[in-house]
Amino acid sequence: MKYDLAVDLGTANVVIYIVGEGVVLREPSIAAVSSRGRRKVVAVGLEASRMLGKTTQEVQAVRPLRDGVIADFRVTDEMLKLYVEKALRSKNASRKGHNMVICVPCDINTMEQQAVREAAKRAGARTVLIAEEPIAAAIGAGMDISEPRGSMLIDIGGGTSDIAVISIGGLVCAKSLRTGGVKMDDAIVSYMRRTYNMIIGDKTAESIKIEIGTAMPESSLKSMLVRGRDNVSGMPMSVEVTSREICTAMDKCLTDIFDSIREVLQETPPELIADIMEDGIMLAGGGNLLEGMPERITYETGVKTVLAESPMDCVAIGAGIIAQRVSGRK
């Protein structure tokens, strides 16, 4: 059986890979939904993302996936279907009965996995192969995981952080933490309300994280003027915040990730630890693009880190390679 499509269905972004073509689509996992009558998806992706915090009472911009799993089944179905159609249309590919490899976090339960499988089928997939995100990310990052040698990967995405030690093509020990980029955004929103009595939206919080966010508070001191609404008066207000403050705001999220990394290392057999110390830890996922994250992980673990070449696409690329392998293609 030949698998044609590979999908990274993430909390923050959907990435689609067509076998023989590569990554053809990367768009936010956001849908604009009409609240009139039966909820209808009116826009997805970049178009819907521009509506975040700016919608009317009749249209809402929502994230149908939360913490790496499907939170709104119907909206996820429609969003994925539209993305698959758009990806196939971009390459003038046939839309008839594609076989799909789709990735899930390493510790989701059977019901959550079945929900992903059904969403893929409703998006037009004839057959669906489920792949674990850490395995796909490691393959997509160019790691050789087939040998009896320890390899460690940390994939920090929008909804989850997958931490895994891999050997002979399988997981030796792994942990999937339901903390990622979206939780960091939420933490910034809470910090601004708590510290400055300012209300900001999710999109503003994400912009703050990207522009001045850091995992190493002492590495640099940037600042940014943030505009929002006064929680008491309801009037517009602005305040200047620093990178050190944003690091403080995200501290709980970052600490949870670092604690989980240490837990996985403590569970790893000594022989594999020696391999990891020699080769380093591979970093994938958009969360590892946070300024200072590789350096902070090295500081917390004492192990050198390597950032993947295309961290945001590793899972989809790896899923595409899996699709080629199970199809018997080179």
Side-chain angles (χ1 to χ4, degrees):
M1 184 179 294
K2 291 187 176 181
Y3 286 85
D4 312 288
L5 290 177
V7 178
D8 175 12
L9 184 63
T11 302
N13 295 286
V14 174
V15 185
I16 297 181
Y17 180 107
I18 294 180
V19 173
E21 299 287 346
V23 172
V24 297
L25 181 142
R26 186 198 307 110
E27 294 213 27
S29 304
I30 300 174
V33 181
S34 171
S35 56
R36 279 187 173 183
R38 184 173 179 270
R39 295 171 74 220
K40 180 182 177 184
V41 174
V42 296
V44 295
L46 293 171
E47 185 180 352
S49 177
R50 287 193 287 268
M51 299 181 186
L52 274 177
K54 300 178 182 180
T55 52
T56 66
Q57 292 181 347
E58 296 179 355
V59 178
Q60 294 179 322
V62 300
R63 292 186 184 272
L65 293 108
R66 194 75 183 177
D67 299 335
V69 297
I70 297 174
D72 189 318
F73 296 97
R74 200 179 66 77
V75 174
T76 299
D77 287 350
E78 289 194 42
M79 180 184 73
L80 182 56
K81 185 178 180 181
L82 288 169
Y83 278 152
V84 169
E85 289 178 353
K86 183 176 180 179
L88 296 174
R89 191 166 58 244
S90 72
K91 292 296 175 182
N92 294 316
S94 169
R95 293 183 228 177
K96 293 182 180 179
H98 282 267
N99 300 316
M100 184 185 296
V101 176
I102 191 164
C103 297
V104 297
C106 59
D107 72 343
I108 70 169
N109 61 43
T110 304
M111 288 183 62
E112 291 167 338
Q113 194 173 118
Q114 186 59 30
V116 172
R117 190 184 299 276
E118 291 301 319
K121 287 188 174 181
R122 284 190 285 268
R126 249 194 333 244
T127 57
V128 181
L129 177 66
I130 298 291
E132 292 175 310
E133 284 183 7
I135 297 292
I139 293 170
M143 302 174 75
D144 182 2
I145 59 172
S146 62
E147 297 295 321
R149 183 175 179 82
S151 300
M152 187 170 188
L153 176 121
I154 300 170
D155 177 10
I156 303 177
T160 60
S161 295
D162 284 317
I163 303 148
V165 173
I166 306 165
S167 182
I168 323 177
L171 298 177
V172 177
C173 48
K175 187 176 181 67
S176 186
L177 184 69
R178 298 201 172 182
T179 295
V182 173
K183 283 276 178 72
M184 294 179 195
D185 297 342
D186 293 343
I188 293 171
V189 170
S190 297
Y191 177 85
M192 296 302 293
R193 180 194 289 264
R194 186 174 64 251
T195 306
Y196 295 106
N197 248 336
M198 175 187 276
I199 307 297
I200 62 170
D202 294 340
K203 196 167 183 180
T204 299
E206 184 181 26
S207 297
I208 295 169
K209 178 185 69 181
I210 291 169
E211 190 163 330
I212 64 169
T214 180
M216 293 285 281
E218 305 302 326
S219 62
S220 64
L221 187 59
K222 300 178 184 177
S223 64
M224 176 181 176
L225 186 67
V226 179
R227 295 181 175 87
R229 190 179 79 238
D230 189 296
N231 192 35
V232 177
S233 68
M235 292 292 102
M237 66 175 293
S238 61
V239 64
E240 190 165 359
V241 295
T242 66
S243 54
R244 194 168 295 169
E245 288 181 273
I246 301 308
C247 186
T248 300
M250 299 186 296
D251 183 66
K252 175 65 165 59
C253 297
L254 295 172
T255 299
D256 288 347
I257 292 170
F258 303 139
D259 286 347
S260 296
I261 294 170
R262 282 190 286 266
E263 284 176 25
V264 171
L265 284 169
Q266 287 163 4
E267 294 170 9
T268 302
E271 293 82 1
L272 300 184
I273 284 287
D275 297 333
I276 293 166
M277 290 291 292
E278 183 177 339
D279 297 341
I281 300 171
M282 180 65 75
L283 306 181
N288 280 311
L289 292 173
L290 180 69
E291 183 181 293
M293 183 62 92
E295 293 83 359
R296 181 73 182 271
I297 292 173
T298 297
Y299 173 80
E300 296 287 342
T301 63
V303 183
K304 67 179 179 180
T305 58
V306 181
L307 185 64
E309 187 175 335
S310 302
M312 294 183 70
D313 295 340
C314 282
V315 172
I317 292 170
I321 295 170
I322 292 171
Q324 291 173 251
R325 289 177 180 173
V326 298
S327 301
R329 299 167 177 165
K330 292 185 178 180

